[in-house]
Amino acid sequence: METYATLAGRYDQWNLSVAGQFQQDVVLAEVGGLAGRTVLDVGCGTGFYSRLWAAQGADRVVGVDLSAEMIAIAESVPGEIEYLLGDATRGAQDGRFDLVTAMWLVNHAETRADLDAMLKGFAVAGDDLLLVTANADADWDVLSTQDPQYGVQQHPNGPAVDGRQPYEATIFYDGGSFSFQSGSWATDVLIEGLHAAGYDTVRRIVPGGREVPIELADKPPFMILRAS
């Protein structure tokens, strides 16, 4: 399995896959227009979603990520987005934002303490959070055997510990594939952590919109939560 430093140049292949585009449709339908709003994209990676937030009309977008390689790719794309190299729990030092987004970030928290630190950092940064992570209700038999044409397969590769199921994700694209280690937090653990961080309401977004194969629609690899 690869590190984010070595796969930085290929990471956006997920966003171009069938499953990745399905996720984008759901996310954009939920977020809507962002005119007049400021957005902090925590764990921004190569800036893919940061650029989408700017395209949705956000007045200001700030992306923060721990990977220098990811930030370098993000900064290579012309635009008015600000990028910071830093820890997910410290993005709030740049001020409060109207919307905080965390796309496929909390799944990399390996302990409850790591998870709680991330969620508290989000809450300090802003009152409105959009969180995308691994599907907590995953049918591993389905996700482990989903057609590679959808763009992703997920295989559990260890026992669940304290509400987190470790798994290996493989992203497929024209010309190859790459794998990395991740984890799926139970929904109740995430909701409990979000409330403890100070969010009053948490709701799960039901995927819809794009016409995708029924097995992908019923058991998508992603889960989306909105907290405020």
Side-chain angles (χ1 to χ4, degrees):
M1 288 182 287
E2 299 185 65
T3 66
Y4 281 94
T6 61
L7 61 81
R10 291 170 289 156
Y11 189 70
D12 281 345
Q13 295 294 333
W14 151 253
N15 294 309
L16 305 178
S17 70
V18 174
Q21 292 180 48
F22 181 33
Q23 173 188 293
Q24 290 169 50
D25 285 353
V26 180
V27 165
L28 290 176
E30 170 63 24
V31 170
L34 291 171
R37 305 194 75 191
T38 58
V39 183
L40 176 67
D41 187 15
V42 189
C44 65
T46 60
F48 184 89
Y49 272 94
S50 298
R51 293 188 291 274
L52 283 184
W53 307 146
Q56 291 298 104
D59 279 7
R60 180 183 181 223
V61 180
V62 176
V64 58
D65 201 280
L66 267 177
S67 169
E69 292 79 8
M70 293 281 194
I71 290 292
I73 292 174
E75 291 182 328
S76 71
V77 180
E80 300 299 319
I81 300 166
E82 304 165 51
Y83 291 106
L84 303 174
L85 181 64
D87 191 287
T89 64
R90 302 180 64 187
Q93 22 182 19
D94 196 63
R96 291 191 63 82
F97 292 80
D98 297 316
L99 175 66
V100 177
T101 62
M103 317 299 289
W104 290 96
L105 178 60
V106 299
N107 40 294
H108 297 297
E110 296 186 355
T111 68
R112 286 288 293 272
D114 292 340
L115 176 65
D116 289 343
M118 282 189 185
L119 299 180
K120 289 176 182 176
F122 303 159
V124 171
D127 295 330
D128 189 8
L129 171 69
L130 183 79
L131 186 154
V132 177
T133 187
N135 187 351
D137 302 320
D139 182 332
W140 294 108
D141 289 336
V142 172
L143 293 180
S144 296
T145 57
Q146 276 190 345
D147 194 319
Q149 71 175 342
Y150 301 158
V152 63
Q153 288 181 352
Q154 296 173 346
H155 305 263
N157 62 351
V161 177
D162 202 19
R164 183 180 188 268
Q165 172 63 61
Y167 70 87
E168 177 183 336
T170 299
I171 305 298
F172 299 93
Y173 61 96
D174 289 343
S177 65
F178 59 86
S179 299
F180 56 92
Q181 180 67 33
S182 192
S184 177
W185 286 100
T187 308
D188 60 341
V189 170
L190 287 172
I191 293 176
E192 178 184 328
L194 286 164
H195 284 311
Y199 293 102
D200 295 324
T201 62
V202 181
R203 59 187 176 89
R204 184 169 179 174
I205 309 305
V206 178
R210 178 181 292 265
E211 291 187 9
V212 296
I214 188 66
E215 59 269 26
L216 179 60
D218 284 349
K219 294 294 181 182
F222 60 85
M223 176 175 71
I224 302 173
L225 298 176
R226 190 77 180 261
S228 58

